[in-house]
Amino acid sequence: MYLYNSLTHMKELFQPNSPDMVKMYTCGPTVYHYAHIGNLRTYIMEDVLEKALNYLGYPVKRVMNITDVGHLSSDADTGEDKMLKGAKREHKSVMEIAQYYTDAFFADCEKLNIKKPDLVQPATGCIPEFIRIVEGLLDKGFAYVAGGNVYFDTSKLEKYNVFYDHDEEDLAVGVREGVEEDPNKRNKNDFVLWFTKSKFEDQALKWESPWGVGYPGWHIECSGISMKYFGEELDIHAGGIDNAFPHHTNEIAQSESYLGHKWCNYWFHVHHLNTDGGKMSKSKGEFLTVSLLEEKGYDPMAYRLFCLQSHYRRNLVFSWENLDNAAAAYEKLIAKIAGLQENGAVEQADFEKLKERFVGALNGDLNTSLAVTALYDVLKAKTSDATKLAALADFDRVLSLNLIPAAQVLRKKQAAEAAAAYDPEIDALVAARTEAKKAKNFAEADRIRAELKARSIEIIDTPQGVKWRKV
Ligand code: AMP
Ligand code: ZN
């Protein structure tokens, strides 16, 4: 499989360190609010990546963190703790908020057929691991204590800004207007590994550490959790593109300084879901959730298809019109599949040919829009229905669009509707009218038509014979 690697800015042949297990790490949600459909675009594409790797013969083990501490309003380690902000908003404790929004996140994932990673680890459960890494970085001279906090010293690195080539001086450090710079930092890009001097006296979660009671910085959690479960090497690390800087840049800085060697070989970044007003974001307060889409009558699968129709390395613009188009396409797709006959044999050669196109799409940097085209190719193909159904079920191991089960539900619904419409008395009247017409007894035919009309039955004369329907 060829994948674009953000680290090298090239499509590369994906080669895991061991063919037996791909070690895949993904940044999890900050659980202070519901996930919006932008966040979920990232999780959908990561899910497709994991399933595609498995499908193509690279068995994956996936670990994900849950950020329940340390993520401040600005990614440059200033501003309010997001968890605390959520707790205040809802008059609950931080842990209650974390549990509630973690559960809500996985409920949304389930609706979107996003598989739960093999291992999910809240950051608050790994404090000793983080402390160990911070100690190691201090021992090796990559960190310093200032004003009670522990900072990573970016001036000790040969290259800090590993994902981009532009001038390091120009880095914005996630600094936003209204967020003050931390005077303890020796260098502009230094970041906090461990906080003790939070300007928030009421910081809810604190732990003992060699540097005083405090809490970990956000970046250290992904390095610590990944090393806890995967050891010193990682094959692939994924997240949204906004995480590339500073979060992933800092993860690499601290992990490789601590380990003394390269840490992760491939970096997979999903681009944003945007609205007219720019990136959809939780901190802006107004955002769309899966539940809201459902309330408006959309099947979550329509949103999944909407995401799959575009490549993960392109920004995707959300509009209701675009979603409506995806919903209509999904409905049509399922109706076509429901029309396929389940009997008959699978033509193996045809099946392989169809699969080849699908595999080609996945191999080419996870081109899901081409993979969706391969799906339509199946429906158009000149082969048996059984072959088509087999190919669709096979592709859906990766796409997870509920293709076969949704078609079965539709078929059952159509059968139930047909059964509900069956009425032998009406059939008898319709037949009697046809006979009357044949016998040129038009008065009787008209009388029967009027009787049916009184019963709200409309008669339709078609080339295939007379049909009726309730109006
Ligand atoms: P957060 O819960 O804010 O830590 O974000 C969870 C994941 O969603 C991260 O991988 C982010 O990079 C990603 N993300 C945030 N906003 C968007 C967006 N508008 N479109 C796609 N992914 C996003
Ligand atoms: Zn992370």
Side-chain angles (χ1 to χ4, degrees):
M1 183 184 205
Y2 277 84
L3 273 181
Y4 180 85
N5 186 354
S6 309
L7 206 54
T8 57
H9 307 281
M10 280 193 303
K11 282 187 205 168
E12 291 176 28
L13 180 64
F14 181 69
Q15 285 175 308
N17 286 318
S18 154
D20 303 331
M21 184 187 40
V22 173
K23 296 177 178 181
M24 177 175 176
Y25 185 88
T26 45
C27 291
T30 309
V31 282
Y32 71 110
H33 218 319
Y34 292 107
H36 56 64
I37 58 171
N39 301 127
L40 290 161
R41 178 193 187 197
T42 291
Y43 294 108
I44 287 173
M45 299 320 290
E46 291 169 349
D47 178 65
V48 178
L49 172 65
E50 178 184 352
K51 287 172 179 166
L53 285 168
N54 277 319
Y55 180 87
L56 297 169
Y58 307 88
V60 176
K61 180 168 178 188
R62 176 137 84 111
V63 173
M64 187 176 86
N65 66 306
I66 297 286
T67 299
D68 53 359
V69 68
H71 194 174
L72 305 192
S73 298
S74 158
D75 289 352
D77 302 329
T78 49
E80 197 170 2
D81 183 321
K82 292 188 180 193
M83 292 304 298
L84 200 59
K85 204 164 134 185
K88 276 190 198 156
R89 187 185 62 230
E90 298 184 18
H91 308 289
K92 289 190 184 136
S93 73
V94 166
M95 285 330 271
E96 279 170 335
I97 290 283
Q99 193 56 55
Y100 178 81
Y101 287 114
T102 302
D103 292 346
F105 171 73
F106 285 116
D108 284 347
C109 286
E110 210 175 313
K111 286 176 190 166
L112 289 164
N113 280 348
I114 299 168
K115 177 185 163 284
K116 198 170 182 174
D118 301 294
L119 236 147
V120 175
Q121 176 64 63
T124 46
C126 289
I127 304 297
E129 281 82 1
F130 307 152
I131 291 179
R132 214 168 25 247
I133 298 174
V134 177
E135 281 179 316
L137 288 169
L138 279 163
D139 285 349
K140 292 185 172 191
F142 284 104
Y144 59 92
V145 178
N149 295 333
V150 186
Y151 293 85
F152 186 90
D153 187 348
T154 52
S155 70
K156 295 279 154 60
L157 299 172
E158 260 173 53
K159 185 164 170 57
Y160 167 65
N161 191 20
V162 289
F163 287 112
Y164 302 102
D165 295 326
H166 47 76
D167 193 345
E168 302 210 348
E169 281 301 303
D170 295 340
L171 290 181
V173 206
V175 175
R176 295 177 203 157
E177 290 207 27
V179 176
E180 69 214 54
E181 279 272 13
D182 182 345
N184 294 321
K185 288 185 184 179
R186 288 187 196 160
N187 312 289
K188 189 168 150 194
N189 295 315
D190 291 358
F191 54 93
V192 179
L193 296 163
W194 186 268
F195 288 97
T196 60
K197 283 269 185 303
S198 165
K199 57 179 170 165
F200 305 104
E201 293 302 318
D202 52 351
Q203 176 66 30
L205 301 172
K206 294 179 202 169
W207 294 265
E208 291 286 347
S209 84
W211 317 285
V213 175
Y215 60 100
W218 171 41
H219 315 299
I220 197 74
E221 70 179 70
C222 289
S223 297
I225 292 170
S226 159
M227 284 182 209
K228 176 171 177 171
Y229 295 107
F230 286 138
E232 295 197 359
E233 269 149 9
L234 198 54
D235 291 304
I236 187 160
H237 192 313
I241 188 71
D242 58 323
N243 282 165
F245 183 83
H247 184 49
H248 293 161
T249 304
N250 292 350
E251 280 187 44
I252 293 173
Q254 67 205 3
S255 299
E256 298 195 348
S257 303
Y258 175 72
L259 295 169
H261 58 74
K262 187 163 183 184
W263 173 51
C264 177
N265 290 329
Y266 300 88
W267 289 82
F268 176 90
H269 287 121
V270 181
H271 286 243
H272 284 147
L273 181 79
N274 292 330
T275 57
D276 297 348
K279 180 194 161 206
M280 191 173 285
S281 104
K282 275 191 232 183
S283 51
K284 281 189 196 156
E286 266 188 26
F287 53 79
L288 297 173
T289 59
V290 177
S291 309
L292 200 104
L293 296 191
E294 283 182 310
E295 274 166 35
K296 287 184 182 282
Y298 292 97
D299 182 336
M301 286 301 101
Y303 182 64
R304 189 167 171 114
L305 178 62
F306 172 66
C307 290
L308 296 183
Q309 281 169 333
S310 76
H311 195 256
Y312 74 91
R313 280 196 298 117
R314 278 177 192 276
N315 285 339
L316 179 58
V317 178
F318 179 84
S319 71
W320 292 108
E321 198 189 341
N322 290 347
L323 186 62
D324 281 340
N325 289 339
Y330 184 69
E331 219 170 277
K332 230 166 126 184
L333 189 63
I334 297 303
K336 280 203 176 133
I337 299 170
L340 298 174
Q341 302 302 313
E342 273 170 346
N343 44 13
V346 175
E347 306 288 342
Q348 205 54 39
D350 292 347
F351 175 85
E352 294 302 334
K353 229 163 92 191
L354 293 168
K355 188 171 166 127
E356 210 174 285
R357 274 180 226 162
F358 183 69
V359 168
L362 300 180
N363 272 338
D365 192 23
L366 200 70
N367 194 329
T368 51
S369 64
L370 268 185
V372 170
T373 307
L375 196 69
Y376 285 105
D377 288 346
V378 171
L379 292 167
K380 281 187 256 157
K382 288 195 173 57
T383 186
S384 69
D385 281 6
T387 310
K388 293 181 186 185
L389 285 166
L392 294 166
D394 184 62
F395 297 3
D396 215 29
R397 284 164 49 203
V398 177
L399 303 177
S400 295
L401 287 166
N402 280 354
L403 297 177
I404 305 298
Q408 273 163 352
V409 168
L410 179 63
R411 219 177 292 143
K412 272 195 195 137
K413 192 174 147 217
Q414 286 168 340
E417 275 168 8
Y422 177 69
D423 187 333
E425 205 185 324
I426 306 285
D427 280 348
L429 278 170
V430 171
R433 174 181 166 268
T434 309
E435 282 307 306
K437 263 175 81 178
K438 247 196 225 161
K440 304 219 177 327
N441 187 351
F442 297 113
E444 175 65 359
D446 287 347
R447 189 196 63 74
I448 296 174
R449 177 187 276 274
E451 188 185 332
L452 287 166
K453 198 174 171 197
R455 293 193 192 192
S456 307
I457 301 294
E458 184 187 44
I459 290 184
I460 310 145
D461 290 304
T462 75
Q464 290 81 35
V466 184
K467 296 217 162 99
W468 62 268
R469 62 173 183 157
K470 283 204 168 88
V471 286

